[in-house]
Amino acid sequence: MDYQTALASLFLPEGRVDPYPAYDVIRAHSPVFQALDGRWFVTTHALTNRLLREPSLRIADAADYDGFWPDWRRNRGVASIVLSMLQSNPPDHGRVRRAAAATFTARRVAEMRDVITAQAESLIKAMPADADFMSAFAFPLPIGVICALLGVPEADRSWFRQRTADLTVVLEPISTEEEMRLADVAGRELEAYFVDLIEERRRAPQEDLTSALVAVHDDTDGVGLTGEELLANLVLLLVAGFETTTNLLGTGIKLLLEHPEQADRLRADPQLAPAFVEEILRYDSPVQLTGRLTTVELELGDGLRLPGGADVTMLLGAANRDPARYPDPHRFDPDRPNIQPVSFGGGAHYCLGAPLARLEAQVAFPLLLAMLPRLSLAGPAERRDRLVLRGYATLPVTTG
């Protein structure tokens, strides 16, 4: 398979099931190259790690969308992502991120450990003998955690699952007309939900993230956080707060059950959980790629360069299995030294929720293995047909 065929396979359903052989071919071709459609691709860990932190790179924001898709705001799924901090540049990005980070602190995340533990134990105790792990655990744990942070009532949480699944298609490089229609519907319904929640918190503030962000907006007369940004970032925090963590939990438990000797080690010593989670993130990242735009020409060394104005896609999944950084990269090995996956990005756009996602996984995996010692796979898993957000739609398990 040549590199062009390998690259094209990533945009086909059969290629997305297991993109890693294609990544190997692409990476072997070059650390960075321009595809036939004009886009540039970055394949190695060293370059990806560097470019994620390169201050001259920018992300496609609302002004860029105005240029190539003038009526993008009509699709409220697209608008809820583009108007959020995920797709903003300085100075707006820093201003909005500071508003969220001030309430999404390390202390607040650390204080969630008991909440996460209690929710995980409750879900494990309720898991039937034969279950779909995604529905029984991987979805309800992170949605419960982020909704607790946002102050979303427990009764409303199951309502979010399909709407979030429909909305996140806007993050994919390819989608159908019907998928984009469903993303628009989901965006409108989520926006309507948060408009009501904002008004509730304005009338009666609570000790939650929504109240804190509403206060930033109101106390600064919309300067610290505009009304449009407040709404978009609440939708983003909900969606990003559980979508990737759901994928991390599903991927992780499948890997552990496929490697029973490693599962036994973690069951016996929960203190190994941080290293296990980092290796899961490296081995099969919940986010497989991210994009940037160059503003100046960049010399990358060894005769490699990126021109100014380049549309750059960094293949995070390929970088995480770069043999130059991780010997024998296709082997699941939690004992690897200095595991530093690029799964959460880097630099100014490093994932704000990364510490929370890590904590949820570090709590969940030892609990699952200890409380369900006979937990095992019960049939073939079904992957979601996505390239950017990689995970399972269903994962049959039995508790024995």
Side-chain angles (χ1 to χ4, degrees), residues 361-396:
Q362 290 167 11
V363 169
F365 293 135
L367 277 177
L368 283 160
L369 296 172
M371 294 178 66
L372 300 173
R374 296 181 182 177
L375 183 67
S376 60
L377 300 173
E382 178 189 352
R383 280 210 175 270
R384 296 177 67 193
D385 183 22
R386 298 285 176 87
L387 174 56
V388 177
L389 298 179
R390 182 167 169 80
Y392 293 100
T394 61
L395 181 58

Side-chain angles (χ1 to χ4, degrees), residues 123-139:
L123 290 168
I124 293 168
K125 290 173 183 176
M127 194 177 298
D130 295 297
D132 168 29
F133 182 81
M134 304 308 293
S135 296
F137 190 90
F139 165 74

Side-chain angles (χ1 to χ4, degrees), residues 111-132:
E111 289 172 350
M112 293 296 294
R113 178 177 286 273
D114 289 344
V115 173
I116 295 167
T117 300
Q119 290 195 23
E121 289 176 342
S122 177
L123 290 168
I124 293 168
K125 290 173 183 176
M127 194 177 298
D130 295 297
D132 168 29

